[in-house]
Amino acid sequence: MKNKDSISHVTGTSIYIDDIITRSDTLHGVIFASQKAHGKIISIDYSEAEKLEGVERIFTFKDIKGENQIGGIIQDEALWAKDEVHYAGQPIALIVAKSSFIARQARGLISIEIEEFKVITTASEAKEKKLFVSNPRHFSIGNTEEAFNECTYIFEDVTFTNGQEHLYLETQGCYVCPEENGHFKIYSSTQGPTILQKIAARVLGIPMYQIEVDVLRLGGGFGGKEDQATSWGVMAAVAAQHLNVPIKIILDRHDDIKFTGKRHPYESSFKIGLTKDLKIHAFEADFLQNSGASADLSPAVAERTLFHATNCYSIKNVHTSVYPCKTNLPPNTAFRGFGGPQGMFVIESAIAKAAHQIGVCKSIIQKKNLLQENDIFSYGQIAKNVETENSWNLAMELSNFSIIKEEIKQFNKNNKYIKKGMAIMPITFGISFTNTSMNHARALVHIYLDGSVGISTAAVEMGQGVNTKMLQIASQEFGIDASKIKIESTNTTRVANTSPSAASSTTDLNGKALLKACIVLKNRLINIAARELLSDKKDLKFENNYVINLTQTKKISWEELITIAALERVQLSEKAHYATPEIYFDKKAEKGHPFAYHVYGTSVTTITLDCIRGTYEIDQVDIAHDFGKSMNLDIDLGQIEGGLVQGIGWMTLEEIAYNKEGILTSNSLSTYKIPDVFAVPKKINIKAIETNGNDLAIYKSKAVGEPPLMYGIGTYFAIQDAIQNFNPNYEQKFHAPFTPEKVLLALYES
Amino acid sequence: MIEFILNNKTIKTSVHQGEPLVDFLREYRNLKGTKIGCREGDCGACTILIGELHDDNVIYHSITSCISPLGNVHGKHVVTVEGISLENGLNRVQEEMISNNGTQCGFCTPGFVVSLTGFAIKKTQHNHNPLNTFQDVISGNICRCTGYKSIEKAGEIINNSLKGFSIKNSINDLIQHQFLPSYFATIPEKLKNIPKKENPKKGKIVASGSDLYVQQADHLRKKDVHLITLNKEHQTIQQKEKTCFIGANTTVSHLLENSIFLKQIPKLPEFLKKVSSEQIRNMGTLGGNFVNASPIGDLSVFFLALNAVLHIKNPHGNLREVHLKDFYKGYKTYDLKENEIIETVSFKILEKNASFNFEKVSKRTHLDIASVNSAMQIEIIENQITNIHLSIGGVAPIPFYAKNTVSFLNQNELNEENIEKSLEILNDEIAPISDIRGTSAYKRLLAKQLVKAHFITLFPNLF
């Protein structure tokens, strides 16, 4: 089945927040934010701005009736700054005016005096001053100290991975309508409707039931709208609470980039030890996470870095630490991979370093250390249904590895100024929220009197195709055509207390809940069908709009069945709850079984490097990926391609730049470049490995959202490989992204 | 009053002509299919098609409506995503986007659909434009979800199904083959009925707006704007004896489609492919690029190496000439007085033994601003450099004409040693600064590499 929104997407009729036809008395909000990264607010003069015709009112912390607090995991973040500012782009006020144009004009009339404090922009600086947003964490297995003594080779180095702007094409936004009795309906582009509802209630000082959050779809999220879509909705709600008119906030692109957090930059260091036969015997890493000015989701992101610090390698002695460092940048946040990619980059760097120093191909060390069945991860979970070696072998086959490798060798011999490079990137990624308590979802199914069906879940559609998969589940279970089923907006009054759509697990969690609801309804309906058809209900199935017996001699149409059920007062609505079983994690011991299952795969990347200009093209990426039993290969392949390209962007072009004063200089699409049609691999081949899947995934499929991003890491090492073929004096560095600048300087360093 | 055809409706509006077109479409006409992604022409979510009457035909091209003033569409056909669906269903582009899974979150999708529909038209109408692959046509459309491969597949199928369409009757062919709704056939007659608009000559001079609207949209939406390209003035390319004259309002796409210019620079498509995107090439003018005065302006650098002359006109109609290499005075300052306007650009056509090369390196190869760009024109007679012009962007406050390097190389022998020496001279005469486009050390190295690249490209046997 194609993405269920395809037709409205291609005709431009799909509705996003900014497309909602608003009430005529709607006012528009623009955020006034700090232009300094750290300091004390001495004075602010709003008088000129307030005088501008069309400006209705300017809201600040003084107008908050509840708490000025939007922090999630840790309550350390104000909605509007009161006395101090901690990052450039921190909201101070909301200007509400007849149009966003007027509000922007007014913003230019506000004068503010700030006594500037020292600005910290890097994680290492913050660590030195012991500034953390949450406690450091340490994962350990075996004994690295002893193990290093048993190693033939030991290598150490430092690495850096930069942040990444989400660059969802639809910027952040919301539309808040006051309803009767001090209630509010918030239309938001958020991945976390409940988070918004909860925080809005807290800030407005009202119970959660007075806030209804509704999400139709997102024009992309990628983690950037998990926690960070909240504040805009809350600000608009505060204004609506005072003015009793609808308030709309749509961030323009510059505001969005400047105000919101990004993927966390990491400064890391590693020590890797190998035995004589190239087995990785010991691995240590320190991860310095640049968390930004408040915790946001950083503690959870940090934790996942440790979960993925050994990627898909079997290492018996591991000690890893992560330090969530408090800096004067916007609070960094969730981004597809959620700390995992940063962890994997370090182990891949360590292997690359070892290989280069020892003088073997990186793939030899990778291959020798691939994860095996029943290996134990450093966090105590036992690896099951491991597909690492299988995916490795299939990727070798798919890419004709040995032939291509020889061709590249020849090519590099024959070409002076053009070099090719190659890298293999095996991955494994754990599926579940690592915070066990978040692994739950609910679904509500209504069968209407005419047999059409309405479904609500906690899942938020943001392009990942979750609603299409929900449609498939209901269609398959009821045996009715998808055209009879509507997937409703995600709404906190229909499905309450939801987890955000994140952690790749939205389809698993919501799909399982939906499946349960459908089964209950089917059981109810089949009793009627059995009676009407004089059949044993064991012999009946839901198929092609009928309930039909095995010999296909007797059948009753879905509509007829529903008509009878309704007349007999049978309950035609059902709600179900699903919570992932088996998973747990003990944060004191840092051991447990946090993941429902793991996803596996391997990519092979080849690139061509122009050694005169320092530019490169990605020729091909071959991927063997473990889909379990894919529910929808059209959608899943799209996730692989899109994830890969996002990972490539992170590794190559996408360069976040803050100056020493903590001001973002890559603050527009003309200074922050994401891949375009020419920047992506010329060819992407994907081999879908059909594996047994997992019972904890819907229909034995496997989650697909985040894992493919990490295939992009291979691009970094393919470029490095090509550079090494040109410049023997190049000293390996692990500093992503590998921009044309870094490439050219590497090509000509002596 | 601004009058134009919006999809299949004639519109007369008194909305201020400086209003960004996208806001007119979305706020005044409720056409919400045209999306706002960046408001600086860098994402393509607001892509629309503009049809202009040429004799009896309407010729279409794509633009980004966020950085285009409403006033510029007077007398034209404006096509949004709402105007390309067929009367009874989806057009071929929409069908293929669905079949090939070209849409995920959907926000960028209308832009791609419009661009690819524009591709179908371009392929049949502008077949002499060498940058007309389906990738070129979506070079200004950014997607964050798909990774583009699915969209490319759709483009490839569309491309294959366009083979054999007639040039003369392209719109009818496209209607017949379900690429366009049938109302397109009625547009030429409707456009003929729209009276030409007198262009008020006051306020900020705006050509396409593709640069000014990036920074100043809020300013221009309320102020007087003097729209200088409205009636297609100064968009011709002519050769008179040994000089080529190009109207300053000529767009990059016009350059690509012109046989005179293409004959001068056969590798033009390869060069201009690196200059912005399809949508912006359809908008951005030569004169606009010069007066933007960016030290990294692609066309400034390009025409410096052609040793171009600007023909500048004052309000009294008097013309004066100034060499482009003397035009720039300092960062963003140049030799142009209030109310003066660049009317024409001219350059001497290349001699038989002359060749030309353009280099550009940016973080992203396409639709990006250069870290360093460079152009060189060189004439060789019996291994002697008899004439040379070399320009480099991104290494000085202005688009830089490398005077010292040029004077060293001129009349010198062409060999590797002299090239190496010239790079040292170049190194002494450039002074790049560190900024978002790169560190000064990088730009310095890159500048030398790009000059070397000119020689390696033009004289591969030397190396």
Side-chain angles (χ1 to χ4, degrees):
Chain A
M1 185 189 284
K2 299 296 176 189
N3 180 324
K4 75 165 200 67
D5 292 335
S6 291
I7 291 178
S8 59
H9 285 351
V10 301
T11 52
T13 53
S14 293
I15 294 171
Y16 304 82
I17 297 295
D18 198 19
D19 305 331
I20 296 171
I21 303 298
T22 52
R23 249 167 67 175
S24 62
D25 56 347
T26 297
L27 298 175
H28 301 262
V30 166
I31 287 107
F32 170 68
S34 175
Q35 292 179 32
K36 301 289 179 193
H38 197 192
K40 186 176 164 191
I41 299 172
I42 304 295
S43 66
I44 310 178
D45 182 0
Y46 295 110
S47 58
E48 289 302 311
E50 282 164 340
K51 274 185 231 158
L52 188 71
E53 199 187 321
V55 172
E56 189 71 25
R57 187 165 158 183
I58 296 174
F59 293 91
T60 68
F61 72 93
K62 291 176 189 160
D63 299 297
I64 291 173
K65 295 184 179 178
E67 287 174 61
N68 184 16
Q69 182 51 254
I70 61 166
I73 298 175
I74 297 168
Q75 300 200 1
D76 65 349
E77 191 176 358
L79 179 69
W80 285 309
K82 190 181 165 199
D83 306 315
E84 289 187 355
V85 290
H86 295 274
Y87 64 93
Q90 183 176 358
I92 296 172
L94 179 73
I95 306 147
V96 172
K98 290 211 157 47
S99 71
S100 55
F101 168 69
I102 294 169
R104 283 195 300 275
Q105 306 291 305
R107 178 163 69 177
L109 300 172
I110 298 171
S111 56
I112 180 166
E113 195 189 332
I114 289 180
E115 181 193 334
E116 290 182 51
F117 297 161
K118 183 174 167 46
V119 173
I120 293 175
T121 58
T122 64
S124 47
E125 219 181 325
K127 181 165 181 274
E128 210 168 282
K129 294 188 160 49
K130 297 200 166 51
L131 295 168
F132 302 116
V133 296
S134 63
N135 290 331
R137 300 274 298 271
H138 312 277
F139 282 13
S140 209
I141 194 165
N143 185 329
T144 48
E145 215 171 299
E146 280 174 18
F148 276 120
N149 290 329
E150 296 153 13
C151 291
T152 310
Y153 307 105
I154 297 175
F155 306 103
E156 295 178 69
D157 212 334
V158 293
T159 72
F160 176 76
T161 47
N162 205 334
Q164 184 176 26
E165 164 61 37
H166 301 83
L167 224 125
Y168 27 68
L169 261 283
E170 179 207 25
T171 56
Q172 303 267 5
C174 66
Y175 180 52
V176 177
C177 285
E179 302 192 315
E180 61 180 21
N181 300 323
H183 293 228
F184 301 92
K185 184 163 182 179
I186 306 180
Y187 300 92
S188 167
S189 180
T190 180
Q191 292 172 242
T194 294
I195 301 168
L196 171 54
Q197 181 194 19
K198 182 175 147 189
I199 305 286
R202 185 200 288 167
V203 176
L204 269 61
I206 57 176
M208 281 173 77
Y209 73 75
Q210 283 183 242
I211 307 272
E212 173 185 352
V213 178
D214 191 89
V215 184
L216 185 55
R217 66 165 60 75
L218 273 54
F222 315 114
K225 295 171 179 173
E226 184 175 343
D227 259 24
Q228 300 213 348
T230 302
S231 54
W232 331 114
V234 178
M235 285 182 207
V238 170
Q241 191 181 26
H242 284 273
L243 298 173
N244 201 31
V245 293
I247 307 288
K248 179 172 166 176
I249 298 176
I250 303 290
L251 296 195
D252 71 26
R253 180 62 66 184
H254 290 160
D255 284 355
D256 188 302
I257 294 189
K258 280 189 257 181
F259 299 170
T260 62
K262 310 177 191 318
R263 185 188 296 287
H264 296 75
Y266 272 59
E267 295 166 61
S268 309
S269 54
F270 65 78
K271 183 176 178 186
I272 189 169
L274 299 93
T275 57
K276 205 176 158 196
D277 60 350
L278 302 181
K279 291 288 280 183
I280 305 172
H281 191 49
F283 179 66
E284 286 181 353
D286 275 349
F287 298 96
L288 274 54
Q289 178 197 61
N290 190 331
S291 316
S294 54
D296 193 270
L297 292 163
S298 296
V301 171
E303 184 183 48
R304 196 176 269 274
T305 299
L306 298 191
F307 284 123
H308 294 304
T310 55
N311 190 8
C312 55
Y313 301 109
S314 173
I315 310 176
K316 295 218 158 43
N317 301 286
V318 178
H319 183 81
T320 53
S321 303
V322 64
Y323 301 86
C325 301
K326 184 172 159 58
T327 61
N328 298 112
L329 301 185
N332 286 315
T333 194
F335 194 145
R336 201 176 199 169
F338 205 79
Q342 292 96 320
M344 290 190 197
F345 182 81
V346 175
I347 181 76
E348 292 302 325
S349 298
I351 294 172
K353 170 112 186 179
H356 187 60
Q357 295 293 327
I358 297 169
V360 296
C361 184
K362 181 171 181 251
S363 64
I364 290 172
I365 299 180
Q366 288 175 306
K367 175 90 198 301
K368 269 191 191 277
N369 291 279
L370 292 178
L371 192 75
Q372 303 295 322
E373 194 74 12
N374 294 323
D375 277 345
I376 305 176
F377 289 103
S378 68
Y379 46 93
Q381 183 159 349
I382 297 167
K384 291 284 177 194
N385 302 316
V386 175
E387 296 288 342
T388 306
E389 198 140 336
N390 187 26
S391 73
W392 177 283
N393 292 335
L394 287 168
M396 296 297 107
E397 235 173 74
L398 184 66
S399 62
N400 273 324
F401 184 78
S402 41
I403 294 169
I404 299 289
K405 202 181 160 193
E406 194 48 42
E407 279 176 14
I408 288 179
K409 213 169 148 187
Q410 282 307 316
F411 181 95
N412 287 343
K413 210 182 264 176
N414 298 337
N415 286 278
K416 189 172 167 191
Y417 291 119
I418 305 172
K419 299 290 178 190
K420 284 184 182 284
M422 191 179 206
I424 307 173
M425 182 67 200
I427 62 146
T428 187
F429 198 77
I431 302 302
S432 284
F433 288 97
T434 54
N435 177 0
T436 303
S437 66
M438 289 169 79
N439 292 287
H440 61 86
R442 277 155 301 287
L444 171 66
V445 180
H446 294 313
I447 302 171
Y448 294 104
L449 295 176
D450 63 353
S452 65
V453 175
I455 290 167
S456 295
T457 72
V460 170
E461 175 61 49
M462 47 190 161
Q464 85 280 44
V466 66
N467 278 354
T468 307
K469 289 182 176 174
M470 294 302 118
L471 197 59
Q472 283 180 269
I473 291 166
S475 171
Q476 179 169 331
E477 290 304 316
F478 292 145
I480 60 174
D481 197 82
S483 63
K484 292 189 174 154
I485 305 166
K486 182 189 178 194
I487 306 297
E488 302 282 358
S489 64
T490 314
N491 185 298
T492 54
T493 65
R494 273 181 267 116
V495 178
N497 307 332
T498 61
S499 289
S501 288
S504 303
S505 49
T506 315
T507 302
D508 279 356
L509 298 173
N510 291 280
K512 286 274 190 179
L514 174 58
L515 180 63
K516 274 172 87 174
C518 290
I519 288 170
V520 172
L521 284 163
K522 276 168 72 178
N523 285 339
R524 232 172 253 153
L525 292 168
I526 210 156
N527 287 327
I528 301 169
R531 190 191 69 209
E532 295 292 313
L533 299 175
L534 304 169
S535 301
D536 190 329
K537 63 183 181 185
K538 282 204 311 292
D539 298 334
L540 296 178
K541 56 183 177 179
F542 291 74
E543 201 177 83
N544 297 328
N545 290 316
Y546 287 94
V547 175
I548 191 163
N549 70 352
L550 291 177
T551 51
Q552 311 232 331
T553 48
K554 297 176 187 174
K555 61 181 184 179
I556 180 168
S557 80
W558 170 261
E559 282 77 12
E560 205 183 334
L561 183 62
I562 298 304
T563 304
I564 297 167
L567 282 171
E568 295 180 7
R569 298 183 293 171
V570 168
Q571 154 75 309
L572 289 174
S573 293
E574 193 59 40
K575 189 158 192 169
H577 170 82
Y578 174 78
T580 315
E582 298 175 25
I583 54 173
Y584 69 95
F585 194 70
D586 175 354
K587 279 196 184 182
K588 278 202 188 101
E590 300 285 26
K591 298 281 176 196
H593 185 100
F595 298 117
Y597 57 91
H598 285 82
V599 171
Y600 301 92
T602 299
S603 69
V604 179
T605 303
T606 52
I607 68 113
T608 301
L609 181 63
D610 176 337
C611 300
I612 299 168
R613 299 168 183 86
T615 53
Y616 46 81
E617 286 183 338
I618 302 163
D619 302 318
Q620 189 159 328
V621 180
D622 297 290
I623 297 173
H625 184 85
D626 160 25
F627 287 94
K629 298 190 187 319
S630 172
M631 270 188 74
N632 187 324
L633 212 48
D634 280 340
I635 284 174
D636 288 352
L637 291 173
Q639 288 295 299
I640 301 283
E641 291 174 351
L644 166 71
V645 165
Q646 243 171 25
I648 289 173
W650 178 53
M651 283 288 116
T652 58
L653 314 168
E654 298 187 34
E655 191 168 40
I656 301 272
Y658 288 97
N659 65 17
K660 283 200 179 77
E661 288 77 45
I663 307 297
L664 183 72
T665 52
S666 55
N667 59 8
S668 66
L669 265 67
S670 58
T671 47
Y672 184 78
K673 309 311 279 192
I674 70 165
D676 65 353
V677 68
F678 295 112
V680 303
K682 291 201 184 75
K683 262 172 106 175
I684 300 175
N685 296 317
I686 301 166
K687 161 96 183 151
I689 314 174
E690 190 175 313
T691 56
N692 287 331
N694 194 288
D695 286 331
L696 297 186
I698 181 75
Y699 292 150
K700 296 203 168 204
S701 61
K702 275 196 167 187
V704 70
E706 290 166 290
L709 184 128
M710 282 147 275
Y711 293 133
I713 294 172
T715 315
Y716 186 94
F717 294 98
I719 294 169
Q720 189 168 66
D721 181 40
I723 291 171
Q724 284 165 335
N725 276 309
F726 180 80
N727 182 5
N729 298 324
Y730 164 65
E731 194 186 325
Q732 254 181 329
K733 278 172 280 294
F734 307 101
H735 198 283
F738 228 145
T739 56
E741 167 162 358
K742 287 187 202 149
V743 170
L744 192 72
L745 294 171
L747 285 167
Y748 292 95
E749 75 179 29
S750 44
Chain B
M1 187 67 72
I2 301 161
E3 187 175 343
F4 61 102
I5 300 167
L6 175 54
N7 298 327
N8 57 358
K9 285 195 185 111
T10 301
I11 302 286
K12 291 180 187 176
T13 176
S14 54
V15 169
H16 182 253
Q17 65 169 356
E19 183 79 12
L21 182 54
V22 70
D23 292 317
F24 178 81
L25 298 172
R26 290 180 55 85
E27 302 307 321
Y28 292 84
R29 305 300 309 174
N30 268 333
L31 294 171
K32 305 285 192 185
T34 305
K35 305 296 181 196
I36 299 169
C38 71
R39 283 194 183 272
E40 53 181 333
D42 257 320
C43 80
C46 67
T47 301
I48 58 162
L49 300 179
I50 296 289
E52 292 177 75
L53 199 58
H54 288 257
D55 305 323
D56 284 338
N57 293 317
V58 179
I59 307 293
Y60 290 89
H61 61 261
S62 61
I63 66 164
T64 48
S65 58
C66 61
I67 49 174
S68 184
L70 170 64
N72 265 353
V73 301
H74 178 87
K76 295 175 187 168
H77 183 205
V78 175
V79 187
T80 69
V81 68
E82 290 88 352
I84 60 155
S85 293
L86 306 182
E87 284 78 358
N88 54 359
L90 303 175
N91 82 359
R92 284 295 310 279
V93 170
Q94 292 166 321
E95 294 276 8
E96 294 305 337
M97 280 289 278
I98 294 176
S99 309
N100 294 283
N101 310 301
T103 179
Q104 287 186 23
C105 87
F107 200 82
C108 71
T109 307
F112 276 95
V113 166
V114 171
S115 284
L116 285 170
T117 302
F119 166 66
I121 303 177
K122 182 176 180 178
K123 190 86 180 145
T124 52
Q125 282 192 336
H126 304 246
N127 70 325
H128 42 294
N129 184 322
L131 287 189
N132 67 351
T133 70
F134 59 87
Q135 286 107 330
D136 292 321
V137 172
I138 55 172
S139 58
N141 293 85
I142 294 294
C143 169
R144 191 52 151 169
C145 294
T146 62
Y148 302 97
K149 301 319 278 186
S150 51
I151 299 170
E152 282 187 315
K153 272 181 216 144
E156 210 173 330
I157 293 169
I158 293 160
N159 184 36
N160 291 338
S161 62
L162 286 166
K163 285 176 184 152
F165 281 33
S166 65
I167 307 299
K168 252 163 73 188
N169 205 11
S170 61
I171 293 294
N172 284 336
D173 269 7
L174 290 165
I175 292 169
Q176 200 191 332
H177 289 87
Q178 306 207 312
F179 279 94
L180 294 175
S182 57
Y183 79 81
F184 269 72
T186 67
I187 300 297
E189 283 311 306
K190 283 185 183 163
L191 284 183
K192 281 179 197 168
N193 293 330
I194 299 177
K196 213 171 170 182
K197 187 167 177 275
E198 268 312 300
N199 192 7
K201 286 193 170 138
K202 58 173 186 172
K204 180 85 182 170
I205 293 172
V206 176
S208 73
S210 64
D211 181 52
L212 288 173
Y213 271 74
V214 173
Q215 301 289 342
Q216 302 178 29
D218 269 352
H219 180 73
L220 297 168
R221 75 169 77 219
K222 298 291 170 195
K223 297 279 160 53
D224 285 332
V225 288
H226 174 194
L227 301 172
I228 56 168
T229 59
L230 189 59
N231 295 319
K232 299 184 209 151
E233 304 97 331
H234 312 308
Q235 292 186 338
T236 52
I237 302 175
Q238 291 171 317
Q239 189 178 333
K240 288 180 192 156
E241 293 172 1
K242 287 198 154 188
T243 305
C244 181
F245 293 88
I246 304 175
N249 288 342
T250 302
T251 64
V252 182
S253 292
H254 288 142
L255 293 178
L256 276 164
E257 292 177 6
N258 186 273
S259 56
I260 298 169
F261 197 63
L262 195 59
K263 204 175 138 200
Q264 289 299 306
I265 321 272
K267 278 169 78 181
L268 191 68
E270 188 188 307
F271 300 151
L272 294 188
K273 189 173 174 157
K274 290 186 179 170
V275 175
S276 61
S277 66
E278 168 79 10
Q279 289 93 321
I280 309 296
R281 286 193 291 266
N282 287 336
M283 300 168 77
T285 64
L286 199 48
N289 206 253
F290 293 161
V291 299
N292 167 267
S294 162
I296 208 74
D298 288 324
L299 296 183
S300 307
V301 165
F302 198 101
F303 278 82
L304 274 173
L306 289 172
N307 199 23
V309 173
L310 306 182
H311 304 258
I312 294 169
K313 199 177 194 176
N314 70 12
H316 311 293
N318 302 326
L319 276 168
R320 66 182 176 97
E321 292 180 8
V322 55
H323 267 87
L324 185 58
K325 64 183 174 195
D326 301 325
F327 181 65
Y328 297 108
K329 297 299 176 195
Y331 181 69
K332 295 262 179 186
T333 57
Y334 41 78
D335 179 11
L336 198 67
K337 293 178 199 76
E338 179 114 9
N339 291 324
E340 275 190 334
I341 202 163
I342 302 173
E343 196 178 82
T344 312
V345 184
S346 67
F347 67 93
K348 289 255 166 0
I349 63 161
L350 272 61
E351 295 291 339
K352 196 170 81 231
N353 297 315
S355 49
F356 185 91
N357 192 45
F358 176 72
E359 294 282 341
K360 173 178 177 178
V361 169
S362 42
K363 199 169 277 174
R364 190 172 70 198
T365 306
H366 301 89
L367 182 51
D368 195 1
I369 294 164
S371 295
V372 175
N373 50 10
S374 178
M376 183 173 85
Q377 179 188 174
I378 186 166
E379 199 181 325
I380 305 290
I381 297 172
E382 287 168 6
N383 218 32
Q384 187 86 10
I385 301 171
T386 54
N387 185 24
I388 178 167
H389 296 288
L390 174 67
S391 59
I392 310 183
V395 295
I398 59 171
F400 187 66
Y401 182 89
K403 202 170 66 194
N404 299 346
T405 313
V406 164
S407 68
F408 168 77
L409 285 168
N410 203 6
Q411 309 307 324
N412 224 328
E413 195 184 324
L414 177 69
N415 58 38
E416 205 173 347
E417 194 192 334
N418 280 336
I419 293 166
E420 288 301 331
K421 262 189 205 159
S422 77
L423 295 181
E424 285 167 31
I425 295 166
L426 180 80
N427 194 43
D428 287 340
E429 69 171 328
I430 59 176
I433 54 164
S434 294
D435 61 15
I436 193 76
R437 311 283 166 212
T439 59
S440 61
Y442 169 57
K443 290 184 193 172
R444 194 171 276 283
L445 173 60
L446 184 55
K448 287 186 278 183
Q449 287 299 113
L450 293 189
V451 172
K452 204 170 167 182
H454 289 313
F455 289 102
I456 292 175
T457 306
L458 296 176
F459 312 104
N461 296 336
L462 271 180
F463 294 85

